[in-house]
Amino acid sequence: MKKALYILISILFLGCNINQTKKPSGKKPNILFIIADDMGKDALAGFTEGTIKPHTPNIDAIRKEGLSFNNFWTYPTCSPTRASMITGKYGYRTDVRWANQKLNESEILLQKYINQNTNNSYATAVVGKWHISGYDTTINPEKFGIDYYAGIFIGSVKDYYNWPLSEKGKQTTSTEYTTKKFTDLAFNWINKQEKPWFMWLAYNAPHTPFHIPPAEMHSQGNLPPYTKDLDPTPYFMASIEAMDYQIGKLLNSMPKEERENTIIIFMGDNGTEPVVTQTPYSKNQVKRSLHQGGINMPLFVSGKGVKRKGIDNNLITSTDIFATIAEIAGVEIDEINDSKSFKPLLSEKKLIRKYQYSEMKNEKNDAWTISNGTYKLLVFADGKEEMYHLINDPYEKNNILNSSLNTIEKKSKEELEIELLRIRN
């Protein structure tokens, strides 16, 4: 009898040990990547830039529950930012350096790269604004290796309530408010997935035109239809609030277990439109400009695997989205093309880059810029140069090249020039 009791106790004890040491399932995280269109730091809570802020509780929660990257650089317009993220390459390598330029169809995009290197472990989708195939609406993004695409090809819509929707290679006309429609499409696709998913959700909000969202989505009051003699700011804020409202609906629609297994990355693609720009930015130093107001954008990361909170001051570029998301998805890589993964920063303090780079090229300007976090150098193809001390002069009011440089400034300029030569060659 005693022997039988001893065996029973042993079995129970062993069972407890097994339960206590059982490892988690190791399920891959879902990845929700949200892009806001033409929304700089002056248009969002959490930053000192700007005095008028929209009511954005859901975006605020993403920021407060995780990391806010203070030194995140993009490109001055939509297309090159998106091309750099989805390829991990600088614009001069892909030849997408301005809005409406076309990405070569031979490029290996992030979604395809992930599944090539993880045994096809992720379901992938792009919903919303594409804007990296120029004006060629015959291209189906799914040909790049994306499982599902639905959205708009070009940079903006003429009417938020009447616009061309492309889905699975076919085009129809949608009369639903774009922000709501994109959210519904994202939800419907996510709801069908049976394996880990990567949702690239690119809103066209708050890009112009200034069309009033449905009343329940914003707190800007009873706005009349916008005309050019009206202040566009409340319309702009209403668009951001509507986007926040829909982000909240999407997150709240997820079952708790799925939500807890999802990492969220939220960002702005380039600076605010000049007509709604707020101080301390100048209207010629925001969207379409290589100054900080045009390329130093909001980037928040929270959710699954994010153990740090607060502000991180690492130098990050839009190309780094590629390697970071790939590593989150399980690809064993910390650097590829022009992309460096900042995934380690989600759990530890670490130096990722010593320099960050951006560029632009259109019919009028060909220029590039580099920074080491303290000094920033802008170089124009016509020989013009500008240099700023970002710690003392974060809004680039004083071009120090207008006077004689001291020893430290000269040395810093030389180092930035050497790194520029390395990058561009």
Side-chain angles (χ1 to χ4, degrees):
M1 182 70 181
K2 287 183 179 180
K3 185 175 181 181
L5 183 63
Y6 174 77
I7 292 172
L8 178 62
I9 291 171
S10 297
I11 291 171
L12 290 171
F13 179 75
L14 182 61
C16 289
N17 275 351
I18 290 172
N19 288 334
Q20 288 172 354
T21 60
K22 184 179 179 180
K23 294 182 179 179
S25 62
K27 184 180 178 183
K28 289 179 179 289
N30 303 311
I31 303 165
L32 177 58
F33 180 41
I34 305 172
I35 306 170
D37 199 0
D38 289 4
M39 189 193 69
K41 289 182 173 181
D42 56 331
L44 206 57
F47 300 104
T48 58
E49 294 84 0
T51 56
I52 302 171
K53 302 288 187 177
H55 178 62
T56 53
N58 298 294
I59 297 171
D60 292 350
I62 297 170
R63 170 175 54 82
K64 292 175 181 178
E65 292 169 7
L67 280 176
S68 175
F69 291 92
N70 196 42
N71 290 310
F72 173 56
W73 271 18
T74 64
Y75 283 68
T77 57
C78 312
S79 299
T81 295
R82 292 156 203 272
S84 69
M85 296 189 299
I86 212 164
T87 65
K89 296 179 181 180
Y90 294 134
Y92 75 89
R93 298 194 199 278
T94 63
D95 207 27
V96 180
R97 285 176 277 183
W98 201 248
N100 302 315
Q101 293 178 345
K102 184 177 178 180
L103 187 66
N104 194 298
E105 293 174 59
S106 65
E107 292 286 351
I108 302 296
L109 302 194
L110 175 57
Q111 292 82 353
K112 184 175 182 179
Y113 177 79
I114 287 172
N115 277 330
Q116 284 180 336
N117 290 277
T118 62
N119 194 27
N120 203 37
S121 62
Y122 271 80
T124 63
V126 173
V127 170
K129 178 170 169 174
W130 179 244
H131 206 201
I132 49 177
S133 293
Y135 297 101
D136 189 351
T137 58
T138 67
I139 293 175
N140 180 0
E142 292 165 351
K143 293 179 180 177
F144 283 96
I146 297 162
D147 294 335
Y148 172 78
Y149 170 76
I152 58 172
F153 266 84
I154 55 177
S156 62
V157 295
K158 292 181 179 180
D159 187 334
Y160 268 67
Y161 293 91
N162 192 328
W163 49 278
L165 167 64
S166 298
E167 184 176 14
K168 297 182 178 179
K170 296 180 180 180
Q171 194 168 94
T172 57
T173 298
S174 175
T175 55
E176 287 190 76
Y177 185 71
T178 60
T179 306
K180 178 183 184 300
K181 182 64 175 179
F182 293 157
T183 307
D184 289 345
L185 288 165
F187 167 76
N188 291 338
W189 180 83
I190 288 171
N191 204 36
K192 296 175 184 176
Q193 304 315 307
E194 296 180 352
K195 63 180 181 179
W197 47 262
F198 169 24
M199 165 58 68
W200 176 300
L201 178 53
Y203 289 109
N204 64 304
H207 194 293
T208 55
F210 299 119
H211 289 172
I212 308 164
E216 69 274 13
M217 298 184 194
H218 69 91
S219 65
Q220 298 298 315
N222 187 20
L223 298 171
Y226 176 73
T227 58
K228 289 186 178 181
D229 58 334
L230 294 173
D231 177 8
T233 302
Y235 298 83
F236 180 63
M237 296 298 164
S239 183
I240 297 171
E241 291 181 356
M243 176 175 60
D244 181 85
Y245 178 92
Q246 290 298 328
I247 290 171
K249 283 192 68 177
L250 178 62
L251 295 177
N252 292 331
S253 72
M254 294 183 193
K256 183 183 178 189
E257 183 180 352
E258 183 171 25
R259 174 73 175 82
E260 290 176 348
N261 192 49
T262 300
I263 185 169
I264 306 168
I265 304 170
F266 175 89
M267 61 166 281
D269 69 345
N270 54 251
T272 303
E273 188 71 44
V275 70
V276 285
T277 293
Q278 299 185 63
T279 56
Y281 296 130
S282 302
K283 293 188 183 299
N284 64 346
Q285 291 184 317
V286 283
K287 181 180 179 179
R288 306 178 190 90
S289 161
L290 284 174
H291 290 96
Q292 292 295 88
I295 63 173
N296 181 207
M297 292 299 107
L299 173 65
F300 311 142
V301 186
S302 69
K304 179 70 173 180
V306 182
K307 299 178 182 178
R308 294 176 63 212
K309 291 184 178 181
I311 296 173
D312 188 286
N313 288 312
N314 264 272
L315 305 181
I316 305 294
T317 76
S318 52
T319 60
D320 297 334
I321 294 292
F322 188 101
T324 302
I325 291 181
E327 190 173 14
I328 289 169
V331 182
E332 294 182 4
I333 191 165
D334 58 8
E335 186 172 347
I336 182 173
N337 300 328
D338 302 307
S339 179
K340 295 177 183 289
S341 173
F342 57 84
K343 180 179 178 289
L345 298 178
L346 306 182
S347 58
E348 62 179 314
K349 290 185 177 180
K350 187 177 180 181
L351 180 67
I352 298 297
R353 285 183 175 275
K354 293 182 179 180
Y355 303 94
Q356 57 190 160
Y357 169 85
S358 186
E359 64 195 318
M360 62 179 282
K361 186 178 182 181
N362 57 23
E363 294 177 355
K364 294 182 179 180
N365 289 304
D366 183 2
W368 44 95
T369 185
I370 189 169
S371 172
N372 61 10
T374 300
Y375 290 98
K376 177 180 176 182
L377 178 67
L378 290 87
V379 180
F380 296 81
D382 62 5
K384 179 185 173 184
E385 292 184 337
E386 298 175 18
M387 187 171 169
Y388 300 95
H389 191 296
L390 292 180
I391 307 300
N392 299 333
D393 181 27
Y395 306 114
E396 300 157 296
K397 306 301 182 184
N398 177 37
N399 179 6
I400 61 177
L401 296 181
N402 288 336
S403 56
S404 298
L405 301 181
N406 62 36
T407 303
I408 293 175
E409 291 167 344
K410 284 181 181 178
K411 184 179 179 182
S412 297
K413 185 172 186 288
E414 290 172 0
E415 290 174 352
L416 292 173
E417 288 171 336
I418 290 169
E419 183 63 16
L420 261 181
L421 190 63
R422 187 195 68 80
I423 288 173
R424 294 181 61 83
N425 286 342

